[in-house]
Amino acid sequence: MLAVFCVRACSGLGGLRTATRVRSVHSLPGITVAQIDEEVAKLLQLKAQIGGDDGKHQFVLKTAKGTRDYNPKQMAIRERVFNTIIGCFKRHGAETIDTPVFELKETLTGKYGEDSKLIYDLKDQGGELLSLRYDLTVPFARYLAMNKITNIKRYHIAKVYRRDNPAMTRGRYREFYQCDFDIAGQYDGMIPDAECLKIVHEILSELDLGDFRIKVNDRRILDGMFAVCGVPDDKFRSICSTVDKLDKMPWEDVKKEMVNEKGLSEEAADRIGEYVSLQGGMDLAERLLQDHRMSQSKQACAGLSDIKLLFSYLQLFQVTDKVVFDLSLARGLDYYTGIIYEAVLTQAGVAPAPAEAQNGASAEESVSVGSVAGGGRYDGLVGMFDPKGRKVPCVGVSIGIERIFSIMEQKAEALAEKVRTTEVQVDISRADLIAEIRKRTSEA
Amino acid sequence: MLAVFCVRACSGLGGLRTATRVRSVHSLPGITVAQIDEEVAKLLQLKAQIGGDDGKHQFVLKTAKGTRDYNPKQMAIRERVFNTIIGCFKRHGAETIDTPVFELKETLTGKYGEDSKLIYDLKDQGGELLSLRYDLTVPFARYLAMNKITNIKRYHIAKVYRRDNPAMTRGRYREFYQCDFDIAGQYDGMIPDAECLKIVHEILSELDLGDFRIKVNDRRILDGMFAVCGVPDDKFRSICSTVDKLDKMPWEDVKKEMVNEKGLSEEAADRIGEYVSLQGGMDLAERLLQDHRMSQSKQACAGLSDIKLLFSYLQLFQVTDKVVFDLSLARGLDYYTGIIYEAVLTQAGVAPAPAEAQNGASAEESVSVGSVAGGGRYDGLVGMFDPKGRKVPCVGVSIGIERIFSIMEQKAEALAEKVRTTEVQVDISRADLIAEIRKRTSEA
């Protein structure tokens, strides 16, 4: 069997059995993917025949790295959180859809920038090349383009996959839920954007996780800021990724990375440093519209005007107490085109504080437990899938559940709360029924 | 590059470059999995270099083969079906758990027999070797062993993955939901088994899908039958797989496969043929207990006594009208150790009938739309994961939703039913609100 196989394996690549003839393949244009697939299949079959792994090894009883099971108690808490979130999404008129857990690899290609390296690929077992979804936004955009939908409010709650460094005690997993709410379609400026922020406010309030803050910025403000600070065009993305680290690193280290690693001039970095330290509300947007440097950028001005409009809606919704315009917010994903936002819990003691807490950082930093929601506007993503490039403006928000679960679990434990996991109404294994059955059986 | 590669590809399998030397591989024990892995990696690299697909390719806007999206209408139907199923599971006192979508590859190894080739593997991107779950039963057994749980009633509703030939119009997908209910632990004989059948009966009745039938058999009866019919021990599994095809192939073809492909004697095959044509209830079990051949097998007798006991409980539950003891039911999976069952819808016209319909098969066969639920007893599976091999007796049932969805969708369309997909309570983008906002903004 092995001999037959090897002859066929070698001859498969163009019917060649000798070294001389093999070498001449170089000039043969006839080798095809189908032939390679066939050879791969044969080799894998052989591998299966000779028994999987070489030698013996011990079986390890565990879940895959960065993943977890949910026991019935945890499921009960999870269901409660989902119900709150779904209730809010439905109140706001969203329908729900579902998409497969894997997509064609090329559907995900070129959507996530530097983060693409974290995508899980499926093994090539013949047929299409597939990857596990990295978020629910790209599959949503693919769904809209595929079904030519130009107007929808939808929510989608499902697991996504990232080959990231897991930090499970802090709620960072390789498999985790996202609860996404998105609005696609033409609307009056900033109305759907404000609704997304309203939703985050409603959900985090209702879940009663302690105080929180929603940071808001705009990609156009960031790009405009980079331009007026003297960042070369081709470095926008890369500098933006560095700015994104400001929630984990002090400014000095961020500046060092900009200057030493990314080759930015010290002056440009310092100018950026001034801007990214700014936080405020509508007043800050107004002030920056008058700023001698910022006002030179059309892009920045468009972003700042939208922030102003956004805050006027947020005032109406009475949520401005939690929302802050923060020029240091960058967010990693490539596809954002306008407003971006991120919600963080600020209550002390509900979850392990980050390392900075020990280094005398400000009180506010020291109690941050990290981001629990994020999102923004992505007006170009659907167009990347549409054969004619037709754009569908979209804005959305994603609630990350794992950190919220951790907090809810800790709370439940602290309260020694009895979580109900069953709703028994029929218990057909109880003793009296058995007795009844036996009685009838013996009567028969 | 191609020439170098081909030389190496051929030489990789033992350093051989000519046909003569290739033939001698037969006597070489030295071929290793590592070498095969290396060759496969090279071939795939070559494939990537020559461009994935042959020549240039257009981006195709689609979901992966064998998968589908669910639009809001379909989701509404799906939710309704889930609610019915979950309602039943909860009435019967089940808690729910969740497990990751992928498991360590070796967790799945050796559990599915011939079907293992349908498992989706993840690409080796460094780290653990992972596979997508093939069912929810093996992850459940892994969960029990890992958490040392010896007694639980749990349900689990989640997607599973099989690289099968999709037939999407008939509800066969590569990604599909399973709704599993399992009882682990020591109970009086056949009580939990009967409860599983009761649950199938309740759910299929409540979903109102037309008439159905639940076939029941026992692995021990099959094995005993094979033994007394003269099947050699080492052919049980393989002959069992052939018997499993009786729902798709006529007996003549099944017999041919047994005799010509699997090398069974014609007499043995004929004896099996007599048994597998039998269907009945408690009476058939009693009759077979007296059968001169069957009664010689201790295993078969144990199985037949349990079938009798089972039917006595089913009578009490008043579900015997739908349950039939059918000796042709085999089921593919390796891990079953006792009773097995499968539910089929028998109503005409609700879904495409199988090919036999045109060949003058019996009325009952011609209207079968295929299996919608299946399960059985697997007393050895948890022990395969426990470091000390401690067994936990388990029995369970899995409801397949996709065929049910197809039928419900067709019904909804036929009724031109308006499926409600939203529950709008807050519509903050409506015109009057915008007007209000504008008014206030201009006042400010």
Side-chain angles (χ1 to χ4, degrees):
Chain A
M1 178 61 209
L2 212 50
V4 173
F5 166 78
C6 286
V7 170
R8 294 193 54 199
C10 293
S11 68
L13 293 166
L16 306 160
R17 296 192 186 187
T18 67
T20 327
R21 292 177 73 188
V22 165
R23 275 188 212 107
S24 70
V25 163
H26 195 49
S27 59
L28 282 179
I31 186 158
T32 65
V33 168
Q35 282 172 305
I36 291 177
D37 283 343
E38 201 185 319
E39 294 314 315
V40 168
K42 281 179 204 154
L43 283 163
L44 292 177
Q45 205 187 336
L46 179 68
K47 179 175 169 179
Q49 279 164 14
I50 65 177
D53 296 278
D54 288 327
K56 279 164 205 160
H57 73 290
Q58 266 210 306
F59 173 75
V60 185
L61 193 60
K62 68 186 281 294
T63 62
K65 184 178 176 191
T67 68
R68 61 176 285 187
D69 295 321
Y70 282 85
N71 68 29
K73 257 190 201 174
Q74 293 160 337
M75 287 297 280
I77 294 170
R78 191 170 106 176
E79 253 173 64
R80 227 194 292 159
V81 175
F82 281 161
N83 286 339
T84 303
I85 293 172
I86 292 172
C88 177
F89 290 167
K90 284 188 173 176
R91 275 201 309 277
H92 284 267
E95 315 177 285
T96 188
I97 69 161
D98 194 20
T99 64
V101 81
F102 45 65
E103 295 278 343
L104 298 185
K105 186 176 161 65
E106 55 184 344
T107 297
L108 308 190
T109 303
K111 310 297 188 302
Y112 300 107
E114 288 183 8
D115 289 344
S116 295
K117 62 179 185 295
L118 303 180
I119 293 175
Y120 275 100
D121 290 328
L122 268 73
K123 190 161 143 185
D124 184 357
Q125 293 171 290
E128 298 163 338
L129 293 179
L130 306 171
S131 303
L132 297 187
R133 62 183 165 212
Y134 183 84
D135 63 9
L136 302 177
T137 310
V138 168
F140 175 56
R142 191 265 307 147
Y143 173 83
L144 294 184
M146 205 172 124
N147 296 288
K148 299 191 173 48
I149 295 167
T150 54
N151 203 299
I152 190 174
K153 256 190 203 186
R154 86 86 180 80
Y155 72 90
H156 188 187
I157 296 187
K159 289 172 174 175
V160 301
Y161 299 88
R162 300 185 183 180
R163 295 180 53 251
D164 215 337
N165 252 338
M168 288 156 65
T169 50
R170 288 193 291 152
R172 195 163 78 218
Y173 291 88
R174 290 182 159 198
E175 172 184 64
F176 59 98
Y177 267 100
Q178 287 196 330
C179 304
D180 279 27
F181 172 97
D182 293 79
I183 303 176
Q186 292 288 351
Y187 288 84
D188 282 297
M190 304 316 282
I191 296 263
D193 315 59
E195 183 165 10
C196 289
L197 294 178
K198 174 83 170 78
I199 281 174
V200 175
H201 194 281
E202 281 180 23
I203 290 173
L204 294 184
S205 302
E206 203 176 330
L207 288 175
D208 195 21
L209 301 163
D211 205 14
F212 60 91
R213 187 146 306 191
I214 308 173
K215 299 180 192 171
V216 175
N217 198 3
D218 192 295
R219 271 286 162 89
R220 292 164 298 171
I221 298 175
L222 282 166
D223 283 353
M225 173 183 85
F226 294 143
V228 299
C229 290
V231 178
D233 284 15
D234 61 339
K235 286 195 171 137
F236 278 17
R237 281 285 147 83
S238 145
I239 294 297
C240 193
S241 307
T242 307
V243 169
D244 195 34
K245 296 179 184 169
L246 269 172
D247 57 343
K248 294 177 209 100
M249 275 158 55
W251 165 250
E252 288 67 38
D253 294 344
V254 168
K255 181 183 166 184
K256 236 178 257 170
E257 184 174 314
M258 286 180 178
V259 175
N260 300 344
E261 288 176 39
K262 311 249 160 135
L264 196 65
S265 74
E266 191 137 346
E267 301 73 45
D270 284 337
R271 276 182 221 125
I272 292 173
E274 277 174 42
Y275 285 119
V276 295
S277 68
L278 300 174
Q279 292 191 346
M282 195 191 277
D283 53 321
L284 175 59
E286 271 161 4
R287 192 146 51 87
L288 287 172
L289 275 168
Q290 314 300 327
D291 181 86
H292 73 285
R293 258 198 303 261
M294 275 295 209
S295 57
Q296 287 165 24
S297 159
K298 265 195 187 171
Q299 269 205 87
C301 289
L304 289 164
S305 299
D306 276 350
I307 291 276
K308 267 185 68 182
L309 184 57
L310 176 77
F311 268 90
S312 73
Y313 296 146
L314 297 178
Q315 274 167 8
L316 207 77
F317 295 150
Q318 302 183 305
V319 297
T320 40
D321 58 320
K322 308 288 185 192
V323 185
V324 57
F325 171 32
D326 182 332
L327 277 93
S328 74
L329 178 70
R331 290 189 63 74
L333 299 173
D334 252 21
Y335 48 64
Y336 291 120
T337 54
I339 189 179
I340 49 177
Y341 33 82
E342 202 166 280
V344 290
L345 301 179
T346 54
Q347 186 96 330
V350 284
E356 296 94 340
Q358 281 102 50
N359 306 331
S362 80
E364 196 204 308
E365 281 171 337
S366 71
V367 294
S368 161
V369 296
S371 157
V372 290
R377 179 162 281 283
Y378 48 101
D379 288 346
L381 193 55
V382 178
M384 289 175 79
F385 290 112
D386 188 275
K388 292 183 184 161
R390 280 168 298 212
K391 289 188 175 181
V392 177
C394 293
V395 65
V397 65
S398 181
I399 318 265
I401 302 294
E402 271 64 21
R403 279 182 185 141
I404 293 175
F405 283 154
S406 304
I407 295 166
M408 305 280 278
E409 265 187 82
Q410 286 170 37
K411 272 172 100 176
E413 272 171 43
L415 290 168
E417 189 186 4
K418 177 130 181 57
V419 180
R420 197 174 169 190
T421 60
T422 62
E423 301 176 16
V424 193
Q425 287 173 29
V426 188
D427 187 357
I428 64 166
S429 53
R430 63 178 190 252
D432 51 356
L433 179 55
I434 297 175
E436 170 69 15
I437 291 166
R438 290 217 172 112
K439 206 180 103 211
R440 295 213 202 174
T441 316
S442 62
E443 276 165 8
Chain B
M1 179 58 211
L2 212 48
V4 173
F5 166 78
C6 286
V7 170
R8 293 193 55 200
C10 293
S11 67
L13 294 168
L16 308 161
R17 296 193 186 185
T18 67
T20 325
R21 293 177 72 185
V22 165
R23 274 186 213 108
S24 70
V25 163
H26 195 51
S27 58
L28 281 180
I31 186 158
T32 66
V33 167
Q35 282 172 303
I36 292 176
D37 281 344
E38 201 183 319
E39 294 314 316
V40 168
K42 280 177 205 155
L43 282 162
L44 292 177
Q45 201 186 339
L46 179 67
K47 181 175 168 179
Q49 280 165 13
I50 65 176
D53 298 281
D54 288 328
K56 279 167 200 157
H57 74 288
Q58 270 205 305
F59 174 73
V60 185
L61 192 59
K62 68 186 282 292
T63 63
K65 186 178 175 188
T67 68
R68 60 175 289 187
D69 296 321
Y70 281 85
N71 67 32
K73 256 189 204 175
Q74 292 159 338
M75 287 297 280
I77 295 172
R78 190 169 106 176
E79 254 173 64
R80 229 196 289 160
V81 175
F82 281 162
N83 286 341
T84 302
I85 293 172
I86 292 171
C88 177
F89 290 166
K90 284 188 173 175
R91 274 199 312 275
H92 284 267
E95 315 178 285
T96 189
I97 69 161
D98 194 20
T99 64
V101 81
F102 44 65
E103 294 279 343
L104 297 186
K105 185 178 162 62
E106 56 185 343
T107 297
L108 308 190
T109 303
K111 311 297 188 302
Y112 301 107
E114 289 183 8
D115 290 344
S116 296
K117 62 181 184 294
L118 303 180
I119 294 174
Y120 275 99
D121 291 328
L122 268 74
K123 189 163 146 184
D124 184 357
Q125 293 172 292
E128 299 163 334
L129 292 180
L130 307 172
S131 303
L132 297 186
R133 62 184 163 209
Y134 182 84
D135 62 10
L136 303 177
T137 311
V138 169
F140 176 56
R142 189 267 305 148
Y143 174 84
L144 294 183
M146 204 171 124
N147 296 288
K148 300 193 171 47
I149 296 167
T150 54
N151 202 299
I152 190 174
K153 256 190 204 187
R154 85 87 180 79
Y155 73 90
H156 188 188
I157 296 186
K159 289 174 176 176
V160 301
Y161 299 87
R162 299 185 184 180
R163 295 180 54 253
D164 215 335
N165 253 338
M168 288 156 66
T169 51
R170 289 192 290 152
R172 195 164 77 220
Y173 292 88
R174 289 182 160 197
E175 172 183 64
F176 58 97
Y177 266 100
Q178 287 196 330
C179 304
D180 279 25
F181 173 96
D182 293 79
I183 303 176
Q186 293 288 352
Y187 287 84
D188 282 298
M190 305 316 281
I191 296 263
D193 315 61
E195 183 166 11
C196 288
L197 294 177
K198 175 82 171 82
I199 282 173
V200 175
H201 194 281
E202 280 179 25
I203 289 173
L204 294 184
S205 303
E206 204 176 330
L207 288 176
D208 195 21
L209 302 163
D211 206 14
F212 61 89
R213 188 147 303 193
I214 308 172
K215 299 179 193 173
V216 174
N217 198 3
D218 193 295
R219 270 283 161 90
R220 292 163 299 170
I221 298 176
L222 282 167
D223 284 352
M225 174 182 85
F226 293 143
V228 299
C229 289
V231 178
D233 284 14
D234 61 340
K235 287 196 169 136
F236 279 16
R237 281 286 147 83
S238 147
I239 294 296
C240 194
S241 306
T242 308
V243 169
D244 195 34
K245 296 178 183 170
L246 269 173
D247 57 343
K248 292 177 211 99
M249 276 159 52
W251 165 250
E252 288 68 38
D253 294 347
V254 168
K255 183 183 165 185
K256 236 178 258 170
E257 185 174 313
M258 286 180 178
V259 175
N260 300 344
E261 287 176 38
K262 312 246 160 137
L264 196 64
S265 75
E266 191 138 346
E267 300 72 46
D270 284 336
R271 274 181 224 127
I272 293 173
E274 278 172 42
Y275 285 118
V276 295
S277 67
L278 299 175
Q279 292 190 344
M282 194 191 278
D283 53 322
L284 175 60
E286 271 161 5
R287 191 143 54 84
L288 287 171
L289 276 169
Q290 313 301 326
D291 181 85
H292 72 286
R293 260 200 301 262
M294 276 294 210
S295 57
Q296 287 166 24
S297 160
K298 264 194 188 172
Q299 269 205 89
C301 290
L304 289 164
S305 300
D306 276 351
I307 292 277
K308 268 185 66 181
L309 185 57
L310 176 76
F311 268 90
S312 73
Y313 296 145
L314 297 179
Q315 274 166 8
L316 207 78
F317 295 151
Q318 302 183 305
V319 297
T320 39
D321 58 321
K322 308 289 187 193
V323 184
V324 57
F325 171 32
D326 182 332
L327 276 94
S328 73
L329 179 71
R331 290 188 64 76
L333 298 174
D334 252 19
Y335 48 64
Y336 291 121
T337 54
I339 191 179
I340 48 176
Y341 32 82
E342 201 166 281
V344 289
L345 301 179
T346 54
Q347 186 95 330
V350 286
E356 296 95 337
Q358 283 100 51
N359 307 331
S362 79
E364 195 204 308
E365 280 169 339
S366 71
V367 294
S368 161
V369 297
S371 155
V372 291
R377 180 162 281 284
Y378 49 99
D379 288 346
L381 193 55
V382 177
M384 288 175 78
F385 290 111
D386 188 275
K388 291 181 186 162
R390 280 168 298 213
K391 289 188 176 181
V392 176
C394 293
V395 65
V397 64
S398 180
I399 318 265
I401 301 294
E402 270 64 21
R403 279 178 186 147
I404 293 175
F405 283 153
S406 303
I407 295 166
M408 304 280 276
E409 265 187 83
Q410 286 170 38
K411 273 171 100 176
E413 272 172 41
L415 291 168
E417 190 185 6
K418 179 131 179 54
V419 181
R420 199 176 168 188
T421 60
T422 64
E423 302 176 16
V424 194
Q425 288 173 28
V426 188
D427 186 357
I428 66 166
S429 53
R430 62 178 191 252
D432 51 358
L433 179 56
I434 297 174
E436 170 69 16
I437 291 166
R438 287 213 174 116
K439 207 180 103 209
R440 294 212 202 176
T441 315
S442 63
E443 277 165 4

